Amino acid sequence: MDSYVELFRASNSIEANAVKGMLEQQGILVRLLGEALGGAAGELPVDAQQIRLLVQRCHITKAQQIMVRYQQTMAPWQCVDCHEQNDGHFELCWNCGSEPVN
Ligand SMILES: [Zn+2]
């Protein structure tokens, strides 16, 4: 049977959907729990939302390996222009819009 187990807790729906898309590219079905809270996003601070990602039990090992790689690529980076710290998922500096230099 397709019982679902919790893989990960995302702090917001943007992160949850990013992870979901990444897993689905690998052929892993994902369910999100808690996303309904997003309907009240205008009233709640984003941090108050927590979204649980569930995957099928038969996919949990593969999904966990993908998450390890994901969290490695999410390492924060520092902007060379303004020296602000950026979360790894930012493609551009949140402060000045510069691209990370690798
Ligand atoms: Zn910057």
Side-chain angles (χ1 to χ4, degrees), residues 59-101:
H59 286 151
I60 187 68
T61 304
K62 185 180 177 188
Q64 283 169 338
Q65 289 166 352
I66 292 168
M67 286 308 298
V68 168
R69 285 206 300 273
Y70 167 74
Q71 282 166 337
Q72 285 167 349
T73 63
M74 295 289 278
W77 54 275
Q78 190 180 34
C79 178
V80 292
D81 288 329
C82 70
H83 305 293
E84 283 293 340
Q85 192 86 349
N86 287 277
D87 286 351
H89 61 92
F90 291 156
E91 292 175 12
L92 299 173
C93 174
W94 65 268
N95 186 48
C96 72
S98 291
E99 292 184 30
V101 177

Side-chain angles (χ1 to χ4, degrees), residues 1-6 31 54-59:
M1 298 299 288
D2 64 340
S3 64
Y4 278 73
V5 293
E6 183 173 323
R31 281 187 188 167
L54 310 184
V55 300
Q56 286 175 288
R57 190 176 294 280
C58 61
H59 286 151

